[in-house]
Structure formats: C-alpha cells, structure tokens
Amino acid sequence: MSRTLQLIFLGQLVSLDLAVVSFTVSLITNQGVDAPMSVSFFSYLALAAVYGSVLVWRRQKLRVSWYWYVCLAFVDVQGNYLVTKAYQYTSITSVTLLDCCTIAWAILLTWMFLGTRYVISHFLGVSLSLLGLALVVLSDYDPTAQDASEPLLGDILVIAGTLFLAMSNVGMELCVKKKDRIEVMAMIGVFGMLITGSWMATYERKSLGSITWSPRLVYSYVGCTIASFTFCTLGPLVLKMSGATLFNLSLLTSDMWVLLIRIFIYKQQVKWLYYPAYALVILGIFIYLTKGSDEATDVVDDDYCIVEEQNPHFRDGNQS
C-alpha cells in the first residue's frame, strides 16, 4: 500500500510539473512569441548541463550506443512539436480527447516490445481515469465556439504526436529500468538540444529575431525551464517504478492542476464536475496500481533479456 501511495504521489508531482509547464508556455505565447522550439531548447539545455556534468564527472563509457539516444530524442521532440502544432488547426477539446491516444499506444507498445501483461483490472483503472478526463472535457465544452480551422489535419497531428510520445515513454522506460538513469537524461538532453537548436536555426530564426525581451518574458522562460527540468527528472522515476502506461495515466490530471493555478492567479471559478473528475482519475490510477502489477514486472524482465540478445549494441554501447 505504501508503494502505491508513493507512486500516486510521484505521479501527481509529475502531473503538477506538466501543468506548470503548460501555464508558463501559455504566458510566453501570450507575449507574442511564436517559437515553440525555443522553449524545448532551454529544457534540453538544462538536462544536458546538469546530468551531462554528472556523466563527465563519472568518467564512464556509455552503456547504450549513442544512436539509440538520437532516436529517442528525435521521437520526443517530434511528439511534443506535433501535439503543440495541432492547436493551430483543431479545437482544444479535440486535442484533449485525442491526447489520450498516448495511453493506448503505450499499452500496445509495452505489450509488443516489453512483454507487459495486462489484466482486466488494468483496463478498468484506465477506463475510470479516462472517464474522469471526459467529465473535465464535458464541463469545458462550448458548442458555440469556433476554434477549429482544419479539424481533420489537427486531429491527425495529435494522433501522430501521441504515437511519438508513447514511443519516447516506452523507450525511456526500457532504458531507465535496466540501464543508467543519469546517462539517459544526459544524452536525451544533449541530442534534444542539438535537434531543437537545428530546427530553431532553420525555421524559427526570424521569429526569434523579432522577440521583444522583457523581465516578464525572461521570468516565464526561466519558470518553464525549471518546471520542464523537474518534469524530466521525476518522470523517469515514475517510468522506472511503474511503466509508461501509469505515467500517462498520471498526466491526465495535469489539466486539473492548470485549473487550480488559474484559480489562484486569475481568480477563476471552478465547476463542480472537476471534483468528481479528479477523484475518478485518482481511483483509476489506484486500481491500476493495486491489481496485477506484479505480473507485468516479471514479463518485462524476461522480454528485456531477449531484446538485449537481439541488440548487442543496446546491451553495451561501447561494443563495435
């Protein structure tokens, strides 16, 4: 029971961090900044600086080949970019609903590549959590809103983005469970910084040049970077202790944390549906954790051995 409560607590800390990231990104956007990759760049830079320094201080060789980290960083960057880009074409309601596809992709990928077994109680927990999110979307739904210019394109972007994010989550779960978490975060930071930096230099150069910097904008970037760094630090712990599916289930409450932030800052009124919605999400996570979780862990270990045998470069990044 104590481990279950600990995982729920860590999951909600990660969800809160994501909510702070979303809130600070909205502050940056509201100040006229149209350079989404710049936000990701500083986040990856912080990871590379902190965890890269620890890795250099250790003076140890990489335990996983560098090109695995390139692939992992690429899908992580692309997933975040595609979901963010979708807001330009479809409604917030559609993005919120379709973003749940990450959970379905995570279940499928962990079953295919990690050998994770799922029982009925797992799906019951997922269903309750999704029902809680549906209540949030229902309370925010406005049939008179016209905020979708190309809804089909936007929906496709969200679904594609969730696939990339699920691939990133599952790949990171595989790495942090059997390898070195510090190495994983350092290399994701380095290659994520290189990928986003290249994108900024190619596509966002004019947007960056037109930014009017102010103390408020600088504080927004600093706050977003700190929140993103904390999210990327705690996230792998949840992935290591539970897996990609629970990680994405925990993130379902991030919209509710954003609401609480807006209540305290902008004095917004909260709708009563948010309370049973949050309770349903937490109940779903609790059921997912307490029923049948031990079965999944054993299979992951066995299946991982097969992955290592078939991919010697993944087993030791310094083998030629």
Side-chain angles (χ1 to χ4, degrees):
M1 180 62 70
S2 60
R3 182 177 181 276
T4 298
L5 295 177
Q6 181 184 13
L7 281 173
I8 292 177
F9 176 73
L10 285 175
Q12 290 309 293
L13 280 182
V14 173
S15 182
L16 176 59
D17 283 326
L18 181 60
V20 175
V21 171
S22 300
F23 179 73
T24 51
V25 167
S26 68
L27 291 179
I28 293 172
T29 304
N30 291 338
Q31 295 176 70
V33 177
D34 184 21
M37 281 296 180
S38 64
V39 178
S40 300
F41 175 80
F42 288 112
S43 301
Y44 289 121
L45 176 62
L47 289 175
V50 175
Y51 289 107
S53 299
V54 176
L55 199 62
V56 171
W57 178 75
R58 286 181 175 180
R59 296 182 180 180
Q60 67 181 36
K61 296 180 179 180
L62 293 180
R63 301 181 64 186
V64 178
S65 297
W66 62 271
Y67 51 80
W68 285 92
Y69 291 124
V70 172
C71 295
L72 196 56
F74 176 79
V75 297
D76 189 63
V77 171
Q78 291 303 311
N80 286 297
Y81 174 77
L82 289 174
V83 173
T84 302
K85 190 71 174 178
Y87 282 95
Q88 298 180 14
Y89 302 103
T90 190
S91 65
I92 296 177
T93 302
S94 295
V95 174
T96 305
L97 285 174
L98 291 174
D99 194 42
C100 298
C101 290
T102 308
I103 298 174
W105 290 123
I107 291 175
L108 179 63
L109 292 173
T110 51
W111 173 70
M112 290 177 59
F113 298 104
L114 302 185
T116 305
R117 283 200 305 263
Y118 293 98
V119 295
I120 295 178
S121 56
H122 286 138
F123 293 107
L124 175 61
V126 170
S127 299
L128 286 175
S129 296
L130 292 178
L131 177 60
L133 180 64
L135 288 179
V136 176
V137 175
L138 178 63
S139 65
D140 286 338
Y141 177 67
D142 182 3
T144 63
Q146 301 293 330
D147 55 352
S149 58
E150 298 182 49
L152 180 59
L153 175 59
D155 293 347
I156 292 174
L157 289 176
V158 176
I159 294 173
T162 57
L163 175 57
F164 279 111
L165 289 175
M167 291 169 62
S168 172
N169 294 157
V170 174
M172 194 172 295
E173 177 187 348
L174 181 62
C175 290
V176 299
K177 278 188 174 180
K178 293 299 180 178
K179 299 299 178 181
D180 186 359
R181 185 175 63 90
I182 300 297
E183 176 184 306
V184 173
M185 301 314 302
M187 299 309 293
I188 293 296
V190 169
F191 290 115
M193 180 182 63
L194 293 176
I195 293 172
T196 54
S198 300
W199 183 279
M200 288 166 54
T202 305
Y203 299 104
E204 296 183 353
R205 186 166 47 189
K206 292 183 179 180
S207 298
L208 291 172
S210 63
I211 294 177
T212 301
W213 292 96
S214 64
R216 183 185 179 189
L217 182 58
V218 172
Y219 294 149
S220 298
Y221 266 98
V222 171
C224 185
T225 301
I226 294 175
S228 297
F229 177 82
T230 308
F231 175 83
C232 293
T233 299
L234 295 176
L237 288 177
V238 179
L239 286 170
K240 184 173 183 178
M241 296 175 65
S242 58
T245 302
L246 178 72
F247 175 77
N248 286 286
L249 281 177
S250 299
L251 298 186
L252 292 180
T253 60
S254 62
D255 291 337
M256 303 172 198
W257 287 114
V258 169
L259 174 69
L260 290 178
I261 293 174
R262 290 177 175 173
I263 289 174
F264 286 106
I265 294 180
Y266 297 118
K267 308 303 180 182
Q268 292 183 353
Q269 295 295 321
V270 59
K271 297 180 180 180
W272 68 271
L273 276 176
Y274 278 92
Y275 298 109
Y278 186 84
L280 278 175
V281 174
I282 296 300
L283 177 61
I285 294 173
F286 183 82
I287 292 175
Y288 182 93
L289 279 172
T290 55
K291 302 293 183 180
S293 58
D294 292 337
E295 296 183 16
T297 304
D298 296 334
V299 182
V300 169
D301 293 341
D302 294 339
D303 191 68
Y304 184 86
C305 296
I306 298 176
V307 173
E308 286 192 324
E309 292 173 1
Q310 294 176 346
N311 299 280
H313 290 287
F314 189 88
R315 181 172 60 251
D316 187 348
N318 305 290
Q319 292 182 357
S320 58

